[in-house]
Amino acid sequence: MKAVVMAGGEGTRLRPLTINRPKPMVSLVDRPVMQHIIELLKLHGITDIIITVQYLANVIQDYYGDGSAYGVNITYSLEEVPLGTAGSVKNAEHLLTEPFLVISGDALTDFNLTQIIEHHIASGATATVTLTRVANPLDYGVIITDEQGRIRQLLEKPSWGEVFSDTVNTGIYVFNPDIFSYIERGRVTDWSKDVFPRMLHRGDRLHGYIANGYWTDVGTIEEYMRACGDYLSGKVNLPRIGHNIGGDVWVDRDAEIAPDAQLHGPIYLGHGAKIKGGVIIHGPSVIRDYTIVDSRANIDRSIIWRNSYIGERAELRGAIVLRQCNIRSRAMIFEGAVIGDGVQIGAGAVVQPNVKIWPSKEVDEGATVTSSIIWGSQGRRVLFGRYGITGLVNIEITPEMCARLGAAYGATLPRGATVTINRDAHFTPRMLKRAIVAGLPSAGVNVCDLRNVPIPLARYYTHASGAAGGVHVRISPFDNRVAEIKFFNHLGLDINSATERKIESTFFREDYRRAYLDEIGRIFYGEDVEERYRTAFMRALGQEAAFGKGFPIVIDYANTSTSTVMTEILRRMRADAVELNVNLDERMVFQTSADFESAMTRLTKITPVVGAQFGVRLDPGGEKIFLIDDRGQRLHGLRALAAMTALAMRAHGGGIVAVPVTAPRAFEQIAARYGGNIIRTRANLGALMNLAAERPDLLLLGDGTGNYIFPHFYPVADGMFAIARLMELLTLNQTTLSEVLADLPPYYLWQTRVPCRWESKGKVMRILNQQYHERHGEQIDGIKIELGQEWVLILPDPDGPFFHVIAEGSSEEHARVLTDKYAGLVTSLQ
């Protein structure tokens, strides 16, 4: 016998599950809904299947093909326009010359089809309708049969006042071919509304068969959740994918489960799913293929489709998350909420019960969503943030995205231009870098591959080699799940906002320039990359770096590529260096906060023991340094910058140093002491580097987090040169770092962060400007309110929906009070 599977429905009540797929292709635990129907047909020996398709027909056709991969033979009957449940089957009339089965592709059932077919043949009926009993018949066709099984009365979707039975039509039929005489070709016709009433009117043989077993129409979000739960609980007698590992947890092939994860079944874990440490999952829950549930997330009675990411300490309760979603850390999603395909939920956001978020939307960090998001976008359509382009590896930053990004960047440059590209030692940036390399030549741009070198070296070589720009790919030093892609201009500095917008515009429009065959860019490796940098480095130190001879330091390379550059420089300087973690190790590129603290503690112990002038640790990119003085005391970033400022001005009899607007007034006191000057800049590293390029006369620029720029060498943050320069300054001043620190003026800073929706930021800034226009000085970055000897800076964050409030007070208590006061003001102005 042949079967007709009706699969043309849109499933409007299931939206947003059905926006990008027809209703029968909605995933139900371990496979699409329609796949369960195909498995049921196979169980009863039915392998010749005709599928009627209409809405998003190509999705079904592409997935199943001719059916051979699934052990069946599939033919498709395409409706150009919707023709109703009977009209769609009429299209396949030429294929149905014997009794045939009709079944819905969007229901879940384990009915015994063999018994239904046998009853039809034995009864001699023209049509047999499969019936079942339900508690709530309002959404179905209610039917009454006589003792012989003939249907006597039917009513489609009655009200409670009209209900005369709890026996309903399941949409599973067996027909003889003469049923087609009731259907006019090309006319919208429905079985329950049109064909069956006509048969009753004529007195034709229309039978009902009450089946035993499980059946549900997967027509609403609630029914979908219930069907998934019933399937997981074993109430549906159908083949299941995977194996039971105990505790009613079903796993498909090689899902990864951390030893301390707590799984309380029934649960299904798809192939390649990863459950990280401390995760708690309560069933019935579904985690589909390649989805990652990160550390200490809490999943309760929820369904998560494939290729999604659930962030650290995120919480899902009775929610549905569809494909390729990114739920960031600490986000909370509650009962009945549905998150559409490709949605980004920001860290700490809350999605309230029953909220539906349509595909490809963004929810801001810390936002609370109380109503469904259907039209428009909740986020910003931008690529670039404070650290370049950042995103979760293989979720937001994928190889496909990187190839398009390379093509978009190349399209903004002249044909035949050359771009340098490099990465850190980790294997993830290697993958992403190669994807970018693939995109650039397609736009007619040459690629100079620097392999794995520190960022300052890559910046220097970009300019020294005459390249039009550069790209650096690395794992974020803050989160090893996040990749960062930095772009340089021809000087090796960060690209400006106008260039960022050009790249974004090209990327989102997909307006890529395609080079003709002989114009495709070439890929080659850089020559003498490290040696050219070392030569310039030693030249900038002058006097053959004689101060370095015998200079005792402890240096920790953190197992990164800085060791391949700096060890040779220290050898040429003839420094007395104790070197730690020299060997390159891709596993050590990212270290947790605990790992970093452990390394710094070790450095504080070693430095005074070996009699070093200072201890220093380089960050993985080679840009930042973290200092320990000769007594083993660890320096906060701002105190280290203050010490470097004092040393530089003392050695040069004054001079000009640039610091961010967030730095304390102690810097002006240091400058006054040595006859120097302080310039205030915006609170980001890009602004400092641009100023350094414009002002080569500056002694030093620093951001207070460990980045130092010495323009007389090169106007970029360079931790390696900062180490050599600190050695030189200590030698010139004939002092120790601990003595310099003891002589610094005291200061008291405090800061906090205040959540604020993106659309409210402008309003808050406008009101603050109006209220404090007489009390804030030069507007460099944010709004700085002068309060005599104290000040408060209110700074909108460029990447997230919040403000930073920073205060300097006459004491630590006063600074904290000021911060709390103005944080409350920012909150009230929203």
Side-chain angles (χ1 to χ4, degrees):
M1 178 174 281
K2 290 182 179 180
V4 178
V5 178
M6 295 185 291
E10 292 187 35
T12 54
R13 292 180 299 162
L14 271 176
R15 288 180 179 172
L17 276 66
T18 52
I19 288 177
N20 293 327
R21 59 192 61 81
K23 184 179 174 185
M25 294 304 292
V26 167
S27 171
L28 198 151
V29 184
D30 52 13
R31 57 191 116 198
V33 176
M34 191 166 72
Q35 184 65 33
H36 293 291
I37 295 299
I38 291 174
E39 294 299 324
L40 178 65
L41 292 171
K42 286 167 60 180
L43 282 175
H44 294 276
I46 302 173
T47 56
D48 283 334
I49 300 172
I50 300 161
I51 300 179
T52 65
V53 291
Q54 194 270 320
Y55 174 67
L56 295 177
N58 62 300
V59 175
I60 296 174
Q61 291 170 312
D62 291 346
Y63 188 90
Y64 288 107
D66 62 3
S68 58
Y70 300 91
V72 293
N73 176 40
I74 294 177
T75 305
Y76 296 95
S77 176
L78 177 64
E79 300 173 67
E80 298 296 335
V81 294
L83 294 172
T85 55
S88 64
V89 179
K90 176 76 172 180
N91 272 355
E93 180 179 4
H94 62 289
L95 301 171
L96 301 167
T97 58
E98 297 177 348
F100 59 93
L101 177 81
V102 173
I103 189 168
S104 173
D106 52 22
L108 180 66
T109 181
D110 61 6
F111 284 166
N112 190 322
L113 301 181
T114 301
Q115 290 181 358
I116 298 169
I117 294 166
E118 289 173 349
H119 175 87
H120 172 79
I121 294 171
S123 69
T126 301
T128 296
V129 180
T130 305
L131 309 175
T132 193
R133 293 189 171 96
V134 297
N136 184 356
L138 298 187
D139 292 327
Y140 308 102
V142 178
I143 291 177
I144 286 183
T145 61
D146 62 17
E147 293 178 355
Q148 286 73 43
R150 295 188 68 161
I151 293 176
R152 294 301 181 196
Q153 189 176 359
L154 57 84
L155 180 61
E156 188 69 13
K157 296 185 179 179
S159 67
W160 275 118
E162 298 171 309
V163 168
F164 49 76
S165 173
D166 64 351
T167 305
V168 300
N169 178 3
T170 65
I172 301 172
Y173 314 117
V174 185
F175 295 125
N176 291 342
D178 51 357
I179 194 72
F180 291 118
S181 63
Y182 291 93
I183 309 169
E184 183 180 342
R185 182 174 295 279
R187 188 181 184 89
V188 178
T189 310
D190 187 83
W191 295 118
S192 297
K193 293 178 182 177
D194 303 307
V195 176
F196 297 158
R198 290 174 195 166
M199 294 182 73
L200 282 178
H201 181 70
R202 294 182 186 181
D204 288 345
R205 295 183 67 84
L206 176 62
H207 275 239
Y209 176 81
I210 300 176
N212 295 315
Y214 183 90
W215 175 86
T216 188
D217 173 35
V218 186
T220 65
I221 297 294
E222 294 74 22
E223 288 169 339
Y224 170 74
M225 292 287 283
R226 179 167 57 83
C228 288
D230 290 346
Y231 183 87
L232 285 167
S233 302
K235 296 179 181 179
V236 188
N237 186 23
L238 286 175
R240 295 179 67 164
I241 290 176
H243 57 283
N244 193 333
I245 63 171
D248 208 10
V249 176
W250 287 75
V251 175
D252 180 16
R253 287 174 282 176
D254 61 350
E256 179 184 307
I257 306 171
D260 61 340
Q262 300 178 43
L263 275 60
H264 308 276
I267 295 169
Y268 171 77
L269 301 179
H271 172 59
K274 293 185 184 296
I275 310 300
K276 298 290 191 176
V279 167
I280 301 174
I281 304 177
H282 286 271
S285 287
V286 175
I287 315 291
R288 290 289 327 257
D289 304 0
Y290 305 110
T291 283
I292 299 170
V293 182
D294 218 328
S295 305
R296 304 193 182 284
N298 195 325
I299 312 296
D300 186 8
R301 298 166 290 107
S302 295
I303 298 167
I304 307 166
W305 288 12
R306 61 186 294 147
N307 283 315
S308 286
Y309 171 77
I310 309 300
E312 191 172 357
R313 296 187 183 277
E315 188 170 333
L316 276 65
R317 296 191 175 277
I320 301 172
V321 175
L322 304 190
R323 284 191 178 190
Q324 296 176 321
C325 292
N326 176 12
I327 313 300
R328 289 296 189 98
S329 60
R330 307 183 315 282
M332 301 180 74
I333 305 174
F334 289 108
E335 299 286 336
V338 182
I339 311 301
D341 299 300
V343 168
Q344 313 287 322
I345 304 290
V350 177
V351 180
Q352 298 282 25
N354 300 313
V355 165
K356 309 295 187 293
I357 301 180
W358 257 233
S360 302
K361 301 296 184 287
E362 296 182 19
V363 174
D364 289 336
E365 180 176 342
T368 297
V369 183
T370 58
S371 59
S372 295
I373 303 173
I374 300 174
W375 307 113
S377 176
Q378 188 77 356
R380 301 167 299 154
R381 187 168 173 164
V382 296
L383 285 173
F384 288 89
R386 189 185 328 186
Y387 305 109
I389 296 176
T390 64
L392 290 165
V393 173
N394 260 358
I395 295 171
E396 296 168 315
I397 307 290
T398 64
E400 305 93 305
M401 181 263 198
C402 286
R404 292 188 290 121
L405 184 61
Y409 179 40
T412 67
L413 301 171
R415 291 181 190 270
T418 297
V419 168
T420 65
I421 188 164
N422 76 302
R423 61 173 177 86
D424 67 22
H426 199 269
F427 53 85
T428 295
R430 176 184 296 164
M431 171 188 72
L432 300 178
K433 187 194 83 170
R434 289 182 177 179
I436 296 172
V437 168
L440 284 163
S442 71
V445 172
N446 301 316
V447 179
C448 176
D449 191 345
L450 306 184
R451 298 186 174 110
N452 168 26
V453 296
I455 296 175
L457 195 155
R459 291 183 184 274
Y460 174 82
Y461 192 87
T462 298
H463 174 59
S465 64
V471 184
H472 177 76
V473 189
R474 69 172 181 173
I475 285 292
S476 169
F478 309 109
D479 189 340
N480 68 336
R481 296 161 293 195
V482 172
E484 294 182 358
I485 305 173
K486 288 179 171 287
F487 289 81
F488 311 144
N489 64 15
H490 67 288
L491 296 174
L493 307 181
D494 292 350
I495 58 174
N496 58 29
S497 58
T499 306
E500 290 179 352
R501 286 194 294 271
K502 284 177 66 178
I503 296 171
E504 283 177 353
S505 177
T506 305
F507 180 86
F508 287 123
R509 291 199 322 267
E510 300 188 12
D511 187 18
Y512 312 128
R513 181 179 68 212
R514 292 294 180 225
Y516 188 62
L517 183 62
D518 58 354
E519 295 177 333
I520 291 173
R522 308 299 194 267
I523 303 170
F524 58 92
Y525 292 107
E527 296 181 356
D528 299 324
V529 178
E530 294 180 359
E531 187 54 36
R532 291 175 72 169
Y533 171 81
R534 290 193 195 101
T535 301
F537 188 109
M538 298 300 292
R539 188 187 308 122
L541 290 178
Q543 299 177 356
E544 298 181 355
F547 61 85
K549 184 177 180 181
F551 193 100
I553 66 167
V554 180
I555 181 168
D556 185 344
Y557 295 110
N559 300 105
T560 60
S561 58
T562 52
S563 63
T564 63
V565 180
M566 195 63 186
T567 50
E568 175 61 20
I569 288 173
L570 291 173
R571 188 188 65 78
R572 294 181 188 183
M573 293 171 62
R574 293 186 288 176
D576 181 12
V578 175
E579 297 175 297
L580 309 176
N581 298 313
V582 177
N583 296 330
L584 196 64
D585 188 343
E586 66 181 23
R587 296 168 300 176
M588 302 297 290
V589 170
F590 171 81
Q591 294 193 348
T592 65
S593 297
D595 293 335
F596 176 77
E597 291 300 323
S598 176
M600 291 301 293
T601 299
R602 184 168 58 250
L603 199 56
T604 61
K605 293 176 180 178
I606 294 173
T607 300
V609 168
V610 300
Q613 286 276 20
F614 62 87
V616 61
R617 180 180 171 91
L618 283 153
D619 82 328
E623 293 182 296
K624 287 187 178 185
I625 59 173
F626 306 95
L627 287 168
I628 307 293
D629 73 8
D630 49 293
R631 294 182 178 178
Q633 298 299 310
R634 184 170 165 182
L635 278 64
H636 182 275
L638 276 173
R639 274 179 61 78
L641 178 58
M644 195 81 83
T645 299
L647 282 166
M649 288 188 172
R650 181 174 164 184
H652 293 86
I656 306 172
V657 171
V659 299
V661 68
T662 53
R665 286 180 174 156
F667 283 87
E668 278 78 9
Q669 297 176 37
I670 294 169
R673 183 184 297 173
Y674 298 108
N677 287 303
I678 296 294
I679 295 177
R680 297 281 175 163
T681 71
R682 295 180 62 198
N684 67 74
L685 184 58
L688 285 167
M689 289 194 292
N690 288 327
L691 179 61
E694 297 168 4
R695 296 284 304 272
D697 60 308
L698 296 179
L699 281 180
L700 164 69
L701 304 91
D703 68 351
T705 69
N707 288 301
Y708 300 91
I709 303 171
F710 295 92
H712 76 280
F713 169 46
Y714 203 68
V716 302
D718 188 338
M720 295 174 289
F721 193 80
I723 292 170
R725 187 73 170 122
L726 179 57
M727 293 166 61
E728 181 183 30
L729 291 173
L730 288 171
T731 303
L732 289 173
N733 287 293
Q734 296 184 338
T735 187
T736 64
L737 194 51
S738 59
E739 290 172 348
V740 176
L741 292 167
D743 198 36
L744 293 177
Y747 60 87
Y748 306 98
L749 285 180
W750 202 263
Q751 70 177 57
T752 191
R753 196 173 83 167
V754 184
C756 177
R757 296 182 66 84
W758 283 106
E759 56 267 30
S760 299
K761 279 186 171 182
K763 172 189 172 184
V764 172
M765 291 295 287
R766 171 178 54 81
I767 296 173
L768 288 170
N769 266 307
Q770 291 171 350
Q771 291 184 352
Y772 293 98
H773 70 278
E774 295 179 352
R775 297 179 66 178
H776 69 77
E778 184 182 2
Q779 191 165 332
I780 298 169
D781 203 2
I783 295 175
K784 193 169 188 178
I785 302 167
E786 300 289 349
L787 303 168
Q789 297 301 310
E790 301 176 324
W791 55 263
V792 176
L793 177 67
I794 301 172
L795 188 64
D797 190 275
D799 301 317
F802 43 80
F803 280 86
H804 299 279
V805 179
I806 307 162
E808 181 176 14
S810 55
S811 67
E812 187 174 295
E813 179 63 24
H814 285 181
R816 185 185 297 114
V817 169
L818 282 172
T819 302
D820 292 344
K821 173 184 174 182
Y822 284 90
L825 175 63
V826 170
T827 300
S828 69
L829 293 178
Q830 298 179 43

